Amino acid sequence: MEQTSTKALALLKENELIERAKNRDNAAFEELVRRNQAKIYNLGLKLLGNKEDAADLLQETFINAYYALPKFEGKSAFSTWLYRIATNNAFMKMRKKKIPLVRFETEKNDSDQQQVTFNIPDWSNDPRAHLKNEELKMLIEKSVDALPGKYKTIFILHDIEGFSTEEISRMLNLSISAVKSRVHRSRMFLRDRLSQYFHAGFKQGVNQ
Amino acid sequence: MKCEKYLELISMYLDKELDRIFLDDLEEHLSLCENCMAFFKTMKKTITLSRTYYHMKCCKVPKSVSTHMFYHLRIIYKKEKI
């Protein structure tokens, strides 16, 4: 197939690029890669926590996408389809590294429920609750990293990337109620970690 | 309903996904229960802080990473042609 110049491709709409790329117009495929690579690289950084794994994930995702593209039916947005490939690749990497995918390792998950019957301080207006606070930033990252792989992925897709429950349910082949429950449990876990920091100070929150 | 039962509803309420039949009950409970209101506010703050933190951290793909990926993709195009 005749290849179009990079400048001309940059003006084309996504649907047009997909059709061309399906017919193995590689320049069109590369324009799709250029438009989406930052999303996938940043997803890799969030899910895997380091630049090397994020770079591997990026490459594997677009290689898989190249092979799978002829079967792409456009039932979801192209970027959602890419996220699906990327998250599956991320799960494989997590398995290899023996990162727990669904099991909370040492956390007492009923701590929030116990607290409800006692006293829950409202730290939402605490003067330390802002992102100029380096300790808090470190704690957020450490706490998200402590979530089991699948919970972390669902939390990031839902609360950070803004995908809907339905989209995530299709992306990960999970029921909507399973997605909702994992979003909730992840939030409970993170809120609990931040609460410990605001209750007891930085040392206790981060050293756990 | 005990407070524990409201926790998951609060999560759905934050996502504007709470069923109409639970909405009035939850809003009334939040107006009366300091603990659940504190839970609601701190849960909301947890999500906002996390979202903002990760959005601040977003970066461009390093040039060397991108170049390396395109190099491998071009090897694959050639393999497919054969």
Side-chain angles (χ1 to χ4, degrees):
Chain A
M1 187 169 179
E2 195 182 327
Q3 307 272 315
T4 319
S5 78
T6 310
K7 272 189 186 173
L9 286 167
L11 299 170
L12 288 179
K13 286 189 176 164
E14 189 179 76
N15 285 350
E16 175 68 16
L17 288 170
I18 292 168
E19 281 316 306
R20 287 177 182 225
K22 276 178 149 183
N23 292 312
R24 291 308 189 217
D25 177 340
N26 295 331
F29 180 69
E30 290 188 3
E31 177 58 24
L32 288 168
V33 175
R34 274 190 287 278
R35 290 186 190 182
N36 290 282
Q37 61 177 347
K39 283 180 199 160
I40 302 301
Y41 181 70
N42 279 290
L43 180 72
L45 283 176
K46 288 173 207 139
L47 294 182
L48 303 167
N50 69 76
K51 290 177 183 171
E52 292 73 27
D53 284 336
D56 283 351
L57 185 81
L58 177 73
Q59 187 171 310
E60 288 162 13
T61 299
F62 282 108
I63 288 174
N64 293 156
Y66 178 77
Y67 286 123
L69 191 60
K71 285 182 248 158
F72 175 68
E73 293 173 346
K75 285 180 185 167
S76 63
F78 182 68
S79 62
T80 308
W81 182 75
L82 286 176
Y83 270 86
R84 184 190 176 116
I85 298 173
T87 48
N88 280 324
N89 284 337
F91 290 151
M92 277 196 278
K93 284 190 178 300
M94 290 174 189
R95 276 192 200 101
K96 270 190 193 164
K97 293 193 165 195
K98 309 225 182 292
I99 295 172
L101 288 182
V102 288
R103 193 165 49 88
F104 280 85
E105 282 221 306
T106 54
E107 298 300 324
K108 290 175 194 152
N109 293 305
D110 57 352
S111 59
D112 271 304
Q113 304 220 347
Q114 284 169 4
Q115 279 181 24
V116 167
T117 55
F118 301 105
N119 178 36
I120 296 187
D122 176 9
W123 49 262
S124 61
N125 290 316
D126 188 294
R128 292 168 295 165
H130 59 76
L131 292 169
K132 283 181 187 160
N133 177 352
E134 293 297 324
E135 291 176 341
L136 183 60
K137 279 156 69 172
M138 216 200 307
L139 177 63
I140 291 170
E141 179 139 358
K142 206 173 154 78
S143 305
V144 172
D145 279 343
L147 284 166
K150 289 199 174 175
Y151 285 82
K152 181 181 180 180
T153 304
I154 288 172
F155 173 75
I156 284 172
L157 292 172
H158 191 273
D159 281 359
I160 313 296
E161 305 287 336
F163 284 103
S164 69
T165 313
E166 286 79 2
E167 283 171 316
I168 299 168
S169 125
R170 282 196 298 270
M171 214 185 278
L172 304 181
N173 287 329
L174 281 170
S175 68
I176 286 177
S177 63
V179 175
K180 280 187 183 175
S181 140
R182 288 179 184 188
V183 168
H184 175 63
R185 224 175 136 192
S186 304
R187 289 171 171 177
M188 294 271 279
F189 176 87
L190 299 174
R191 195 204 69 84
D192 193 34
R193 285 286 186 106
L194 296 197
S195 295
Q196 285 167 25
Y197 167 70
F198 289 109
H199 296 173
F202 175 63
K203 276 190 178 173
Q204 187 184 340
V206 165
N207 289 340
Q208 274 206 334
Chain B
M1 212 195 278
K2 282 184 185 172
C3 288
E4 294 92 88
K5 305 277 182 196
Y6 286 103
L7 300 187
E8 195 157 359
L9 298 186
I10 287 173
S11 216
M12 289 191 256
Y13 183 60
L14 283 167
D15 294 331
K16 299 185 173 59
E17 283 182 356
L18 187 60
D19 232 65
R20 185 85 218 154
I21 49 166
F22 298 114
L23 195 64
D24 292 343
D25 181 30
L26 175 67
E27 284 180 344
E28 189 188 342
H29 180 77
L30 285 176
S31 70
L32 299 170
C33 176
E34 262 184 52
N35 272 336
C36 284
M37 183 50 100
F39 182 87
F40 166 76
K41 285 184 179 172
T42 50
M43 182 76 119
K44 190 175 177 182
K45 190 79 179 181
T46 301
I47 298 166
T48 313
L49 285 169
S50 307
R51 182 177 299 147
T52 314
Y53 171 65
Y54 280 106
H55 285 184
M56 277 165 56
K57 266 192 78 181
C58 269
C59 62
K60 283 186 178 175
V61 182
K63 193 143 180 63
S64 60
V65 170
S66 190
T67 306
H68 193 248
M69 170 182 58
F70 281 115
Y71 171 78
H72 278 274
L73 283 171
R74 282 162 197 171
I75 293 174
I76 283 167
Y77 307 155
K78 280 184 193 160
K79 274 189 193 164
E80 248 218 343
K81 269 190 182 173
I82 298 167

